[in-house]
Amino acid sequence: MPVRTDDLNIGREVLRHLVADNYPAIARSLLRPLLHLLSLSRDACGGDVDKFLIMLVIAIRTTEHERFATYSQAQLLSGEIPIFPTLGTNVRSVAESTGTPKETVRRKVGELIEAGWISRKGNELRFTAVAYQALAGVRVAIEDLAVSNFQVVADLARQRLAKSPDH
């Protein structure tokens, strides 16, 4: 039966300390999926990690829009929604978020627009269905990372609860 963090009745700060205290034992399980994700991300962006960071900032602003959560995976992959809704971001805020020089961001944004991965309306940068489709492998790696990390932390929490005198 799957374990939910609510079932474990352990707060976030306790979990963070549990992970930190057990890091040497779980590091491999946490780092391998992260390396896989970063490698896929770099490859998807033609070897350019900065492009992936730019896409990530734009994707975060997209996922923060209330309508984004109402779409199905099929709708997003189909191209039915060619340009996704967003709370908006621009070159300056992307540069500040990533620590990348503004001129570098501006140049890479131009390349991403040319590739159809983002769209610009005024100063606002928007994530497109083309990017969502092209980054499908990266999205699966993010999902795998989330599941893997959850499983590792849930196992630690179960072990802690098993040792607790109240259980």
Side-chain angles (χ1 to χ4, degrees):
M1 180 164 125
V3 175
R4 299 182 330 230
T5 53
D6 291 348
D7 296 337
L8 297 173
N9 197 26
I10 297 177
R12 184 180 185 89
E13 193 61 22
V14 172
L15 287 172
R16 196 192 68 66
H17 284 293
L18 194 58
V19 168
D21 291 345
N22 290 279
Y23 189 79
I26 63 172
R28 176 182 45 188
S29 297
L30 298 175
L31 295 177
R32 284 195 183 281
L34 179 59
L35 176 61
H36 181 66
L37 168 62
L38 293 174
S39 294
L40 281 176
S41 302
R42 183 194 59 215
D43 292 347
C45 292
D48 192 335
V49 175
D50 284 334
K51 279 186 183 176
F52 182 72
L53 292 176
I54 291 166
M55 294 300 301
L56 190 55
V57 172
I58 296 167
I60 288 169
R61 294 300 286 163
T62 299
T63 62
E64 292 171 339
H65 192 284
E66 64 186 24
R67 272 194 326 213
F68 184 80
T70 67
Y71 299 131
S72 70
Q73 184 78 290
Q75 284 178 296
L76 296 173
L77 285 170
S78 73
E80 175 183 331
I81 303 139
I83 299 172
F84 297 173
T86 185
L87 293 183
T89 192
N90 57 42
V91 168
R92 181 188 49 76
S93 62
V94 170
E96 289 172 2
S97 295
T98 63
T100 306
K102 187 176 169 185
E103 194 49 47
T104 300
V105 172
R106 184 181 323 280
R107 181 173 39 81
K108 291 178 189 285
V109 161
E111 294 169 11
L112 290 164
I113 290 171
E114 190 174 309
W117 284 29
I118 61 174
S119 171
R120 183 191 324 250
K121 183 174 184 179
N123 287 331
E124 188 176 87
L125 305 173
R126 297 172 169 256
F127 205 83
T128 68
V130 171
Y132 197 79
Q133 293 161 353
L135 294 171
V138 173
R139 193 174 45 265
V140 169
I142 291 168
E143 294 161 0
D144 289 344
L145 176 69
V147 170
S148 175
N149 288 349
F150 176 81
Q151 289 172 330
V152 168
V153 175
D155 287 346
L156 285 177
R158 277 194 295 269
Q159 291 167 15
R160 181 183 184 276
L161 288 173
K163 293 177 185 175
S164 172
D166 296 338
H167 287 83

